Amino acid sequence: MVSELFDLSGRVALVTGSSRGIGNVVATGLAEAGATVLLNGRDRQRVFDARDALRAAVPQATCEGVCFDVTDETAVAESVAEINARHGGIDILVNNAGFQHRESMFDLSVEDWETVLRTDLTSAFIVGRTVARGMVHRGNGKIINVCSVQTELARPSIAPYAAAKGALRNLTRAMTAEWAGHGLQINGIAPGYIATELTSTLVADPDFSDWVTGRTPAGRWGDTGDLVGPAVFLASDASSFVNGQVVFVDGGMTAVV
């Protein structure tokens, strides 16, 4: 049955940066599809509050909180080893952790540049490689890297973010080149302008919001729920021959000039 292709029952999903925003909504969608979900973040209280909220929203879900810094290679290795010991492995990894820093390149410090790249790009390499070792050993696994319209486009004042997200697309391809032959599917989701807690000031800015809706063929901001279907698709057997691709969920923004 077609519905069975999207069923994630019995699978373990780790979603980084999932105590709020896009990561939290995607994690909730995976839980609704049957996956055991591991929420991640650095703020322990926020992670466990998110865990409790997800359990309340999806009573049938199995959900845990795992707190570690995705940019710390030692912490990642220790946490993934603990998860593997407890659950027998991670079947689905969503590399979602990231943040934005807005500043002119003339004013941007090298430290801030490197912080954005380490959080938005290097963390996907660190966590992805660590988790993939177990996936390769078992002969299957799904990795979803959360990219952006800035994977394809750029705007003033967000150079490190655009650089990181552009590189994340090719990291997705590199992972595919090395691991697809071992039964893994590695793909990306590239959200357009999505209304979240972190973008609330932009949504509230009439000029910027008018630019977004005018520039987007769909004529609106995206909603976090718009990302759930693509995420479940890429995490499930429905995408078993999809590899190295980035799915733009942007209302058509990158399709037009």
Side-chain angles (χ1 to χ4, degrees):
M1 294 178 61
V2 171
S3 60
E4 294 176 354
L5 290 174
F6 298 90
D7 185 6
L8 302 181
S9 298
R11 303 186 192 186
V12 177
L14 169 62
V15 185
T16 67
S18 51
S19 63
R20 59 181 176 176
I22 288 172
N24 186 258
V25 172
V26 167
T28 301
L30 298 180
E32 290 174 336
T36 293
V37 171
L38 308 175
L39 299 176
N40 159 262
R42 292 183 299 179
D43 186 319
R44 183 172 297 273
Q45 189 60 54
R46 181 179 289 166
V47 168
F48 290 128
D49 285 348
R51 176 202 61 187
D52 293 344
L54 195 155
R55 287 175 175 175
V58 189
Q60 74 275 18
T62 301
C63 175
E64 298 178 10
V66 288
C67 300
F68 61 88
D69 182 346
V70 294
T71 69
D72 183 332
E73 188 173 6
T74 299
V76 170
E78 291 174 350
S79 297
V80 170
E82 290 176 5
I83 294 168
N84 288 341
R86 190 163 64 250
H87 293 282
I90 297 168
D91 303 295
I92 301 160
L93 168 65
V94 182
N95 280 315
N96 170 75
F99 83 108
Q100 179 68 279
H101 180 92
R102 299 180 184 277
E103 192 171 14
S104 160
M105 278 195 284
F106 286 137
D107 300 319
L108 180 69
S109 70
V110 172
E111 181 181 6
D112 286 335
W113 165 273
E114 291 178 343
T115 297
V116 174
L117 263 66
R118 186 162 185 82
T119 303
D120 292 18
L121 174 63
T122 306
S123 70
F125 164 71
I126 293 172
V127 182
R129 179 174 68 171
T130 306
V131 171
R133 293 186 193 279
M135 292 178 169
V136 166
H137 179 73
R138 294 189 303 275
N140 61 77
K142 302 277 191 172
I143 298 177
I144 302 169
N145 294 322
V146 178
C147 300
S148 167
V149 288
Q150 268 70 51
T151 295
E152 183 72 20
L153 306 172
R155 279 182 57 81
S157 80
I158 58 170
Y161 184 82
K165 292 301 185 178
L168 188 56
R169 170 165 54 187
N170 264 13
L171 177 61
T172 301
R173 291 167 172 166
M175 289 175 168
T176 298
E178 295 205 17
W179 303 331
H182 297 281
L184 279 63
Q185 289 86 52
I186 306 96
N187 294 287
I189 292 177
Y193 283 87
I194 307 294
T196 69
E197 176 185 342
L198 296 179
T199 60
S200 59
T201 57
L202 297 177
V203 175
D205 182 329
D207 291 337
F208 191 85
S209 193
D210 286 347
W211 176 83
V212 168
T213 56
R215 179 66 177 79
T216 305
R220 66 175 177 87
W221 281 77
D223 181 84
T224 50
D226 292 324
L227 302 169
V228 173
V232 171
F233 166 66
L234 291 176
S236 72
D237 290 342
S239 59
S240 63
F241 200 53
V242 180
N243 234 320
Q245 305 303 308
V246 174
V247 179
F248 283 84
V249 187
D250 62 0
M253 177 176 277
T254 55
V256 301
V257 295

